[in-house]
Each structure stands twice: as C-alpha cells, then as structure tokens.
Amino acid sequence: MSSTGPVTDALRERGLRITPQRVAILGALRRLANHPSAEEVFRAVRSDFPSLSLTTVYRTLETLAERGEVALVHLGRERARFDHRTDPHHHATCTSCGRLEDVDLAESSIEPGIAIPLFGGRRPRGNVVVFYGVCTPCNERASHEPSARSEPGPGSLAPG
Amino acid sequence: MSSTGPVTDALRERGLRITPQRVAILGALRRLANHPSAEEVFRAVRSDFPSLSLTTVYRTLETLAERGEVALVHLGRERARFDHRTDPHHHATCTSCGRLEDVDLAESSIEPGIAIPLFGGRRPRGNVVVFYGVCTPCNERASHEPSARSEPGPGSLAPG
DNA sequence: CTCGCTGCAAACACTTTGCATATCT
DNA sequence: AGATATGCAAAGTGTTTGCAGCGAG
C-alpha cells in the first residue's frame, strides 16, 4: 500500500506502519477535532470499520502520543482526551458539560520565564493553562431553570 | 468532645461532625503540605490510627473538597492529590519524579479577563496553570548518568 | 435517641497487558 | 520472511458504593 495523504504521510514520518486502523484512527481524531476520548474515536471509526477494537484505539493513540503526533489532555477526574494539535496552546472547558476548546494565548502572558524554586530557580520547560467557565448552551439552560440542579459537571477541579 | 484547634474549628465551620478520623485526616493533609494522594494521607494517619480505612480517607477528602475546605489537584494520568490551600494559586511539577509545589503568580499575568469563545465571549470563572520542568535532584541525577534512561516519569502531559 | 459516619467487601470505569493470529513491508 | 500490529479476554489501578453497625451531638 503506497497510498498518500496527510494521515498516511504523518504515520510514515513517525516511522509507523500504515495500517487501515491507524489511518482511520488518526483521520478521525483530526476530523473530529473536538478533543475526543479514546472511546469517542472508537465509536466514530467503528461505523465504517466494524472489526476495530477499543484496545487498538488505545494502543494507537498512545503510540502517536509517544511520537509527538498527538497530545494527551487530562482534566480532573475525566477520562483522557486526545488533541490533534501538538503546538503550544491552552484549553478552555465548560464546568457544566465538559466541552473543551482550544485557546491561543500569547506565550508572554503566562510568564514562561518565571524562576521556579522547585526547578532550582530554572525556568519551566513548558506550561499548561486551563480556563474554567460555563459555555453558552449550559449558561442558557441554567437561566431557564433557575432553581434546578446546576450540576457541577465532570471534574470538581473548577476553582472558586 | 468540645476540643478546639484549627482543624476542629475548620470541620465545625463546614458543618461536619468532628470525628477522630476527620481530625487526623485534615491534620495530616495540613501537616504534610506536599499535595499528598489519598493513599499517602492514609499511610500517614494509619501509624497512630490503625483502624482507619482508606475508604474513609477518600470519603473525608471528597467531603472536604465539596465544602471548599481542601482542593483537588489532578495531573495527567496521576492519581488525585489534595491541596490544603484553597486560595488561587498555581503549581509546578517535576516531569521526572512527579514532585509538586505551589507557585504564586500575580493573577494579571494569566489574563483572567480574556474573552473565551467557548464561554460566549464571557470571561473565565477561573483558571489553573501547571508549570513543567525538572527538579534539582532529578536534574543532577540526569547529568551524572548522561546516557542513562531519562524516564519521562509519571504523566505524559509534559509539553514539548 | 437520631442521623451521620465508619469499615468492610464488592462494584466501578477506564486503561493496560498477555498471547496467538493476521498484516505490513 | 520477519517484524510489527491487531483482537480478544483477562488483569490492573485508583476510586466509589451498599450496607450494617458505631458514635457524635
């Protein structure tokens, strides 16, 4: 199989064998873009690839993460999510429904040059910022049901 | 038991019954200060409280977190850790050994006023920053064993 | 006395692993 | 052909839950 395409190329560049499973998984991750979990990728691919196993999805995403082709995003108690973007950026998440979106922030605005005592006064190698808030649909739902249970949603990491 | 003390007072203020288990658990969390996991708290308390169960530690810490008396800190795949500080602050972690320390950062330096599209252009309710780097002991160990395996350590959330 | 708390054991969700078979190169 | 990837089922890990008895207020 000498097929070409962005996904196939990415796999080849990472020194990975090009299998239909991998093509489908990485393709789905890029297409979904919504920081899906392994299971969400699994369901998306399964439709036109019934023999695929969840194990393979986990293994493939782990391999891709190791090689820097995708990134892992963990929030609070939530299951792991995968990010097709690997360039430095941050995230915003809805504390009510868990929706997650990218946030591009000027690097300088988070003081990457700060001296960290834990690192012997050296600067951090990197940092991750997560913004917490309530997305528009959840916000509207909350105002329509004033006294209704305003579920804290997934993960109780939310500050304040 | 009408004993007094910071821990007892804190429990009472949160409307919780003062049991020896809770006094010991919250006391240990404050004393350790090192962002211990439930199991680490358990081991610390167990010494002079052999009948304590891990379940109670989980339940107590969860209750305290719900009431805002302690905070949860999750990093990557790692187990949950608990923080006796609940005021806004950030964290630095060693990507090699997992050590975690507090970082106090001026709030303005992370643009809390940024308009987040996910939140309908509203500002985030809060944010969490984690700085990644290598702590001094790990750094020295690495330079003494140049070609040795430089374990990525717990959690592969580390950027770049 | 009453309701909340504790401890035990069992259940849980998510993720990883062992192994035989199938597939890529 | 040879090495690597896949699928299945089973094992983990960390955390949560049901329930009966205990203890704080």
Side-chain angles (χ1 to χ4, degrees), chain A residues 72 74 76 92-93 105 109-111 114 118-120 122 124-130 132-136 139 156-157, chain B residues 72 74 76-77 92-93 105 109-111 114 118-120 122 124-130 132-136 156-157:
Chain A
L72 256 159
H74 266 279
T93 188
L105 209 59
S109 59
I110 32 156
E111 303 200 11
I114 188 177
L118 177 61
F119 307 150
R122 274 168 276 115
R125 276 191 189 172
N127 65 70
V128 165
V129 182
V130 180
Y132 294 91
V134 180
C135 71
T136 305
N139 195 45
S156 42
L157 234 182
Chain B
L72 256 159
H74 266 280
R77 307 186 195 279
T93 187
L105 208 60
S109 59
I110 33 157
E111 303 199 12
I114 187 176
L118 175 62
F119 306 150
R122 272 167 280 115
R125 278 191 188 169
N127 65 69
V128 166
V129 182
V130 180
Y132 294 91
V134 180
C135 71
T136 305
S156 42
L157 236 183

Side-chain angles (χ1 to χ4, degrees), chain A residues 24-132:
Chain A
I25 290 166
L26 183 51
L29 181 63
R30 290 184 175 187
R31 185 162 11 86
L32 294 174
N34 254 357
H35 307 86
S37 66
E39 182 136 14
E40 286 165 336
V41 171
F42 176 59
R43 282 202 300 269
V45 175
R46 206 186 202 180
S47 355
D48 44 25
F49 202 142
S51 69
L52 183 73
S53 82
L54 183 54
T55 303
T56 296
V57 176
Y58 272 111
R59 257 192 292 228
T60 298
L61 290 174
E62 188 197 356
T63 303
L64 291 171
E66 277 171 6
R67 316 256 172 148
E69 181 60 38
V70 308
L72 256 159
V73 187
H74 266 279
L75 276 101
R77 307 185 194 280
E78 280 184 48
R79 44 156 62 105
R81 293 158 172 241
F82 295 86
D83 193 340
H84 67 110
R85 281 184 62 179
T86 54
D87 62 309
H89 66 282
H90 304 294
H91 293 111
T93 188
C94 173
T95 52
S96 179
C97 70
R99 201 135 54 110
L100 183 66
E101 276 188 8
D102 294 323
V103 174
D104 288 286
L105 209 59
E107 236 209 14
S108 59
S109 59
I110 32 156
E111 303 200 11
I114 188 177
I116 305 283
L118 177 61
F119 307 150
R122 274 168 276 115
R123 304 179 317 170
R125 276 191 189 172
N127 65 70
V128 165
V129 182
V130 180
F131 294 96
Y132 294 91

